[in-house]
Amino acid sequence: MDSLVPRNSALTTLACFLILSTVLILVNVGSVSAQSFSQKLDVQLRADDRSSREIRYQYRVRYRPQISFNDTWSVNAFAVTGDEFGSSHNTLNDSSADHLYVRRVFGRHQGDYGKTEFGIIPTYKGRVSSSGLSKYGWIKGVRHVRAIGDNNLEIVVGQLTSLDPARALNAPDEFDYVEVEYSVQINDIWSYELSAERMKNENFLRTELRYQYNNNITLFGEVVGRLDSAKTKAVLGGEGEFSISEYSVEYFAHYSYVSENFGLRAELTEDFLGTGHGFSGELSGALASTQFDWFVRYDAVKDRTRLLAGLKWSL
């Protein structure tokens, strides 16, 4: 199964996607009472203005169905537009850029011990747009998260380097990704993570420190070192929200530095722009009494800049 829909027009893609959603709903209407079906759907429209090319108008469709058999067992899937590991947008009025792929299908068992995921699993646990593998990516393998008091030990083993979304559901032919991570909640305001990763014959050590300054501000810093060379990736930033006349605005901003030839550990970050010194800042909020959110984002790396602005609708 290389693609969920043919690569033709954007309208055809969206129509087929809505048909698929309707079929899944009807199928689950007749499910036994021990099962429950849930789904999340959102559509985003954005303008993408980069210094290196003409402005593009793009759309994104994300769909997350889930079948829960009980409180512990579930089957999950994820389909999204885009034709790259770290990209989830198609360009309007481009007949060769209408893609929609199922990128993940996995089972999950969740209990007091933590959780276990197996199949074509997510790349992440939380927000990773500044520092980790793209949240639109996948790993063919197993993740086990073991709760140790308030802390977590996570082990992931699988295949990463099959990076074409059209082949995401193919069986793995090798195991080239291993991650061991220990997350510690020191107290209500301080936490940190330590991890070791092996990715396509490249080895990395990573540490991240987070500080909950107050309910509206979280500061974080991260350093990733590549062990076979003096290559480094560093991130320093903050996220939270503020109010303007009782209207809430969320923000996310960070400074980053990525050494030249750092490898996939940087290149597979969501919407990777380039190596060197960089900055990214985003503002977002909800449109009152609607299901729409707005966002504005600015990225800059070396002599490249990008301005993104758009709307997102969620169901």
Side-chain angles (χ1 to χ4, degrees):
M1 181 179 181
D2 286 345
S3 173
L4 189 62
V5 295
R7 298 186 182 184
N8 41 36
S9 69
L11 290 178
T12 301
T13 299
L14 291 175
C16 291
F17 185 81
L18 292 175
I19 291 172
L20 173 65
S21 302
T22 303
V23 170
L24 287 174
I25 293 172
L26 293 176
V27 168
N28 280 274
V29 167
S31 297
V32 297
S33 59
Q35 299 177 352
S36 65
F37 176 74
S38 61
Q39 59 183 338
K40 293 181 181 180
L41 171 69
D42 66 70
V43 179
Q44 183 191 98
L45 296 174
R46 77 178 189 182
D48 179 358
D49 187 10
R50 298 193 186 192
S51 57
S52 57
R53 62 186 175 206
E54 295 183 357
I55 188 171
R56 299 183 301 175
Y57 298 96
Q58 299 180 304
Y59 70 94
R60 181 188 72 195
V61 179
R62 298 188 299 190
Y63 181 56
R64 299 181 179 90
Q66 180 187 73
I67 298 176
S68 298
F69 298 97
N70 49 44
D71 292 338
T72 58
W73 285 99
S74 65
V75 175
N76 307 263
F78 175 59
V80 67
T81 44
D83 67 340
E84 296 180 7
F85 185 95
S87 172
S88 61
H89 289 80
N90 292 338
T91 299
L92 293 169
N93 299 322
D94 185 346
S95 59
S96 65
D98 292 330
H99 310 278
L100 181 61
Y101 297 107
V102 178
R103 301 193 183 197
R104 296 196 288 262
V105 178
F106 61 97
R108 175 186 289 152
H109 181 271
Q110 193 148 359
D112 293 338
Y113 73 92
K115 70 176 180 180
T116 301
E117 297 174 337
F118 51 92
I120 299 95
I121 62 176
T123 56
Y124 66 97
K125 292 185 302 181
R127 181 164 192 169
V128 294
S129 57
S130 66
S131 58
L133 297 175
S134 170
K135 63 176 176 285
Y136 300 108
W138 61 92
I139 297 171
K140 300 176 183 180
V142 179
R143 166 181 289 111
H144 180 73
V145 181
R146 173 68 58 170
I148 305 174
D150 293 331
N151 308 324
N152 286 314
L153 175 65
E154 176 180 357
I155 300 174
V156 183
V157 178
Q159 181 181 16
L160 173 68
T161 51
S162 175
L163 303 177
D164 182 359
R167 301 175 60 83
L169 300 189
N170 290 9
D173 51 20
E174 64 176 327
F175 292 101
D176 55 21
Y177 182 86
V178 178
E179 177 187 6
V180 178
E181 178 182 277
Y182 190 53
S183 304
V184 178
Q185 188 70 43
I186 301 174
N187 51 40
D188 292 339
I189 59 176
W190 288 99
S191 63
Y192 70 88
E193 295 179 352
L194 296 172
S195 68
E197 302 172 20
R198 180 171 175 80
M199 184 183 304
K200 196 181 177 182
N201 299 318
E202 299 169 355
N203 298 317
F204 302 90
L205 285 179
R206 168 185 169 272
T207 182
E208 179 181 357
L209 181 66
R210 300 183 69 86
Y211 174 57
Q212 185 78 38
Y213 180 76
N214 57 37
N215 291 334
N216 297 322
I217 301 175
T218 300
L219 304 176
F220 57 88
E222 179 192 45
V223 177
V224 185
R226 182 171 167 177
L227 298 184
D228 61 347
S229 64
K231 306 296 184 181
T232 303
K233 179 178 181 180
V235 178
L236 183 64
E239 59 183 335
E241 63 179 66
F242 60 90
S243 297
I244 302 176
S245 299
E246 299 185 353
Y247 180 79
S248 180
V249 177
E250 296 184 2
Y251 67 88
F252 179 73
H254 70 270
Y255 157 82
S256 64
Y257 173 77
V258 182
S259 298
E260 296 285 348
N261 301 316
F262 190 74
L264 287 176
R265 186 60 176 75
E267 295 166 14
L268 296 183
T269 301
E270 183 181 330
D271 286 334
F272 179 69
L273 199 58
T275 58
H277 297 276
F279 170 81
S280 180
E282 180 177 334
L283 298 175
S284 61
L287 296 179
S289 303
T290 72
Q291 290 181 300
F292 286 90
D293 295 331
W294 61 269
F295 68 92
V296 177
R297 175 175 156 186
Y298 177 77
D299 300 323
V301 175
K302 287 186 177 178
D303 56 349
R304 301 180 186 178
T305 62
R306 174 175 59 189
L307 179 64
L308 301 171
L311 296 173
K312 184 181 79 171
W313 172 78
S314 300
L315 175 64

